[in-house]
Amino acid sequence: MAGQPVVYVTDALASYERRRLIEQKVPFIVPGNQLYLPDLGLDLREYFRQRSPAADAALSPSAQAMLIKALLNQPWQAEWQPSKVAVALGYTPMTLSRVVRELTAAGLVSAFTVGRARWLRMEQTSQQTWERAKPLLRSPVKRIVWVLPEGFAANRPERLAGLSALARYSMLAEPKWPVYAMSSAEWKSAADAGVRELPEPVAGAQEWQLWSYSPALLPGAATVDPLSLTLSLQDNADDRIQLALDELKGQLPW
């Protein structure tokens, strides 16, 4: 409208967007990153910053699970291959790419490549990374169901969770009803096998927590991992539970 040359300026530009702008001879600038001014010459840099989620946004369940698994790896390694963790958790390459974007955008890791392999590096210690990540992490418990597991041994969850797991790590007494964790897929299999949800707990019942990610981040363990356990109970106002969580904190692997 002004009859003057126009330059499109944006804080991030994907490779396909860059290609389309160049095809249409549209000048653009990504400050500190890319510049294309066809009437004055051009300077293109082969690095594309992704539009990142807000730094204070909660991590997705898959990103949370991968981070926790990396933090609990023994011996702990500051540098790790996210592809190996993704395979262990059954995540797709698309999910892996999203997780890497989330973790780097949150400032919890930095990404680099070795040959054709992508690696992540935690710039801080495992404890420091955990403390920094905690505001971005959420309880893995999506829903709680009460069931009578008799006759469905093959479909029972294997890992203690909630107060049952916390009792293994502290002086807290065992809860009246055993607590277990399972994934949504495991709950579907149990329901298909005939396990039915109770409207309220009764004698012989169990509390099953349905998690947003796999509760088996520590293969072979009798309980869910201590970091996810902490997240699942951190908002409980019971002083006894908070004292037990303090005991658990002293047993974390750092």
Side-chain angles (χ1 to χ4, degrees):
M1 293 176 64
Q4 300 295 323
V6 174
V7 178
Y8 173 53
V9 181
T10 180
D11 60 353
L13 202 61
S15 59
Y16 70 90
E17 294 173 321
R18 181 199 68 156
R19 185 176 64 253
R20 290 176 181 173
L21 290 174
I22 292 176
E23 288 174 351
Q24 297 299 320
K25 305 292 185 183
V26 177
F28 66 85
I29 296 175
V30 181
N33 189 38
Q34 295 172 253
L35 177 146
Y36 175 64
L37 300 176
D39 294 334
L40 300 178
L42 64 90
D43 177 15
L44 287 178
R45 301 180 184 180
E46 297 299 323
Y47 171 71
F48 311 112
R49 287 186 294 194
Q50 302 293 327
R51 291 184 174 88
S52 302
D56 58 351
L59 295 181
S60 66
S62 52
Q64 179 169 318
M66 285 190 62
L67 177 64
I68 289 176
K69 190 168 181 62
L71 288 172
L72 291 173
N73 185 50
Q74 293 297 314
W76 181 74
Q77 297 174 329
E79 298 179 352
W80 48 286
Q81 282 187 274
S83 58
K84 292 185 177 180
V85 180
V87 169
L89 295 176
Y91 292 153
T92 64
M94 183 178 296
T95 297
L96 171 60
S97 296
R98 188 187 72 244
V99 166
V100 170
R101 288 198 301 270
E102 287 186 54
L103 295 180
T104 53
L108 298 172
V109 301
S110 59
F112 65 99
T113 58
V114 177
R116 298 181 62 183
R118 178 165 45 181
W119 286 70
L120 296 180
R121 177 188 296 114
M122 298 181 195
E123 304 295 347
Q124 298 178 306
T125 66
S126 54
Q127 182 177 6
Q128 291 170 331
T129 302
W130 165 245
E131 294 298 334
R132 183 174 181 178
K134 281 178 68 176
L136 308 178
L137 307 180
R138 299 292 180 265
S139 170
V141 182
K142 295 196 302 182
R143 191 160 71 92
I144 292 176
V145 297
W146 299 94
V147 300
L148 279 173
E150 284 79 0
F152 299 99
N155 294 284
R156 294 186 187 185
E158 299 178 356
R159 286 165 181 79
L160 292 172
L163 299 185
S164 291
L166 188 58
R168 296 290 184 95
Y169 288 101
S170 68
M171 298 297 291
L172 188 72
E174 292 279 352
K176 182 177 181 180
W177 292 284
V179 185
Y180 293 88
M182 65 194 317
S183 65
S184 297
E186 290 172 327
W187 167 245
K188 184 179 184 304
S189 296
D192 290 343
V195 177
R196 293 291 175 260
E197 181 178 354
L198 300 173
E200 60 184 21
V202 298
Q206 293 181 353
E207 175 186 328
W208 288 5
Q209 296 179 348
L210 310 187
W211 279 30
S212 58
Y213 54 82
S214 171
L217 298 186
L218 289 179
T223 70
V224 298
D225 71 87
L227 301 186
S228 296
L229 176 60
T230 298
L231 295 171
S232 71
L233 293 170
Q234 64 181 359
D235 295 328
N236 193 302
D238 191 316
D239 290 339
R240 296 176 304 110
I241 294 175
Q242 292 304 316
L243 288 173
L245 287 176
D246 287 339
E247 288 186 62
L248 171 60
K249 185 176 181 180
Q251 302 175 51
L252 295 178
W254 47 64

